[in-house]
Amino acid sequence: MDAKLQVPTLDSPLPVLEPIKGVKKAPLEEYFTSGHRTCQGCESALVMKLMVKAAGPRTVVLGSTGCMYVANTTYYSTSWVVPWMHTQLGSSGSAAVGTAAGYRALMRKGKIKREPINVISFCGDGGGADMGLSAISGALQHMDYNHLILLYDNESYANTDIQASGSTPYGANTTFSPHGKAKRILHKRWKKNMAAMLAAGHPECRYVGTVCASYAVDFMNRIRKALSIGGPTFIHSLDPCPKGWDYDPMLSHELGELAVLAGIWPLFEVEQHQLRLYGKTRAIVEGRQKRLPVRDYLMKQGRFAHFTNDDIDYFQAKIDEMWTRWLIPGVLPFSTDVLNERPPA
Amino acid sequence: MDPDSATAVRVAAAEQEALISGSEAVAVATRLADVDVLTAYPIRPYDTLMQYVAKQIANGEQDAEYIVAESEHSQFEIAKHAEAVGARAMCGSSGVGWCYAFEAIAVTPALRLPLVAMVGNRALDDPGAFGTEHNDALAARDLGWMHVWVDTAQEALDTTLMAYRVAEDRRVFLPCAISTDGAFLTHSQTLVKIPPQTWVDEFLPPYNRGDLRLHPDNPITIAPQVNEDWLMEIRRQTDEAMRNARGVIEEAYRDFRRIFGRGEGNPFFEEYRTEDAEVVLVGMGTLSMPVKVVIRKLREQGEKVGFVRVRWFRPFDHERLGALLSRFRAIGVIDRDFSMGSPFNSGVLANEIRATLYAQDRRPPVVSFIAGLGGREVTIPAVKEMIEQTRRAAAAGKAPADTQWIGVRA
Ligand SMILES: Cc1ncc(C[n+]2csc(CCOP(=O)(O)OP(=O)(O)O)c2C)c(N)n1
Ligand code: SF4
Ligand SMILES: [Mg+2]
């Protein structure tokens, strides 16, 4: 496929954001600093910090309701150095469009200076993968507007006390899916395949990627790519959450790595229609890295403590299916011959 | 000739007339106001506005970001965020579409974003109904939106320009909803005077968000988490803005009269044959047409009846309206809406009028009517019946305790 597909109109100025070549070359400036009140070990706070570090000072951030709003912007002690505005829980897509459209009109009409302004709109998994899915989908169709929608996925409605979302992994204990005497497992939905769904469903969109902040340089470079490629873009970040996942806060970084190494969280990007697996995911697929058993990941987290061996086997089988049966392994689940796996009773 | 009417002569010479509907009149106003961002989502009758806008964009007559959203919620959120960066925006909806956007509608006033929206008033179906009913717009009456009801396509055009002028005044910075009765106004064509651009530019300064603008040059945090520590002060500020709007509306209408030579009288409500009236009807929107027709007829027969059409519902001009209404012997309030279980089972307007009159020394009886729901025509006999009942209340010095449903099957 031609990698340089023409996009109808990309007339708003784009920033030049060179890739960061190694952690020592990362900018020292911080645009997300003190003043926040996230839990100890909160990976999403790191995601916010790396996101704006990569984007730089000519950036406007919109944030939908959730931990990264409530815990980061206490009145009079905002942690944002760049301009920031709250948006409603399901509005990350619309906030990005409205902000970018406003700048585009004002620049075209000469009402403000014509210059690249990075527009980043973030949402949680509840705000993005559930409630705001429609608005994000709409946003990814409007090619006139340059922006990045970043979904920080802590796999629950965390801010409201850890409730199951469409992005919560199968079987996880949440306050809406407690492990009980009669029912070992209440949350039986399989996690949405959000990034691939958006990439497949929005054929004009020039960049969709998954990231994990355990790999900070890779993470920042994907942000830079998404912001400088033009048009609407989407990045999905898996964020270990000590409170929701119930583990020792010092393990956030390791859990992110384990999710990738166990093949649960594939790192990939779809850049101008080219799919590329990257980082440890690519190493696994190319046989340079052994895919670890899901048990190593699941059993470090209290939210899966009630799992029986059968549950773990089921989880493992579903992950194996991703890599052995899917049409595009780790990315697209279509197959002419799907395993008819059923969850254990 | 006083300076005002001198201007009027100049105006009459330079304006162009066009046969257009209420929705098209608003579309023309968005072009004249150089609106930067417009968002669309289909629902009758509001969609007619954006159909006209789409044509203007397609024909190169209007320069704006025109965005077809995937829901009303997104329509309002996109427009809201565009306003935050200093772009002038317009959106709107009707009936359940307005309700679908309610979250965005609810938060816009506290953000002090001067968004202007058109409500093509429509019944909240189920059960299915396209016709006009005011409950959609009225659902947002307590939230800090300014609300104005217009009656004619000319008024729709003029009021749209006025709405931006008032909303974007730094003393106000509140959103404004313009209610246009579905079908009766949105779809009905009349001759409308379209002002030249120069006059509009003289009347409407550019939207200047000042130090509240979201831009890298002005790194502010908007809508932080305030909780009980600050929310009450912020509500109080929004309330202050709404209070300020009363004076700003007066100024805007005065200036409008100076430049455009029309828009006589009190901006907040229109009086029709009230001079020596003994009883009056009160209502909002296009029901003024049959009411005025009946009043004209009755006046010919020497009957002292009049009509008061409430234009600005928020802010409500309780002082002047109260003073005016206390003069009459009885008042009949027609609601094209309902408020089930409210005091006297009245519609919304009737209870606002009762509250307004309470502060007056003279409190004439108020008969409350509900009529014209779901777009049902308010007929000449229906208006006569309401006047008759109001007259009986005047004679008795007492209104019936309960609300009267007019033109409804038994
Ligand atoms: C329309 C609406 N419904 C519900 C809420 C309540 N609410 C506030 S934060 C939140 C959790 C959002 O979850 P997510 O998007 O995953 O972000 P997280 O809190 O996990 O960071 C919810 C449900 C809300 N703010 N708005
Ligand atoms: S609950 Fe999770 S996402 Fe929220 S602040 Fe705590 S660690 Fe971060
Ligand atoms: Mg979450």
Side-chain angles (χ1 to χ4, degrees), chain A residues 263-278:
Chain A
I264 293 171
W265 186 248
L267 296 173
F268 67 87
E269 57 190 356
V270 183
E271 183 182 345
Q272 299 194 48
H273 299 250
Q274 297 277 12
L275 170 68
R276 187 183 307 118
L277 301 173
Y278 74 91

Side-chain angles (χ1 to χ4, degrees), chain B residues 346-366:
Chain B
S346 294
V348 172
L349 184 61
N351 280 332
E352 300 272 317
I353 299 288
R354 286 192 179 99
T356 296
L357 281 170
Y358 195 78
Q360 299 295 325
D361 294 333
R362 254 196 102 253
R363 290 190 287 269
V366 173

Side-chain angles (χ1 to χ4, degrees), chain B residues 83-149:
Chain B
E83 284 277 343
V85 306
R88 185 175 281 163
M90 159 69 88
C91 66
S93 196
S94 293
V96 291
W98 176 256
C99 296
Y100 198 80
F102 213 68
E103 183 194 29
I105 288 170
V107 298
T108 303
L111 296 170
R112 305 300 294 280
L113 294 169
L115 174 62
V116 174
M118 180 184 118
V119 194
N121 296 114
R122 168 176 173 165
L124 303 172
D125 45 349
D126 283 347
F130 299 124
T132 197
E133 214 171 80
H134 293 166
N135 279 80
D136 49 5
L138 286 172
R141 72 186 167 143
D142 299 328
L143 301 177
W145 277 73
M146 295 182 284
H147 282 271
V148 56
W149 258 264

Side-chain angles (χ1 to χ4, degrees), chain A residues 38-39 42-44 67-68 71 154 158 162 241-244:
Chain A
T38 55
C39 306
C42 173
E43 193 76 348
S44 295
C67 279
M68 292 306 105
N154 51 25
I162 320 296
C241 157
K243 183 181 167 195

Side-chain angles (χ1 to χ4, degrees), chain A residues 205-217:
Chain A
C205 175
R206 289 156 72 89
Y207 190 86
V208 170
T210 63
V211 293
C212 174
S214 303
Y215 307 99
V217 175

Side-chain angles (χ1 to χ4, degrees), chain A residues 43 70 72 125 139 144 148 187 238 242 290 301 306:
Chain A
E43 193 76 348
V70 177
N72 287 335
D125 49 302
D144 285 343
L148 162 64
H187 178 66
L238 182 74
K290 188 172 159 299
Q301 305 171 51
H306 55 293

Side-chain angles (χ1 to χ4, degrees), chain A residues 124-126 152 154-158:
Chain A
D125 49 302
Y152 70 94
N154 51 25
E155 300 197 316
S156 79
Y157 289 90

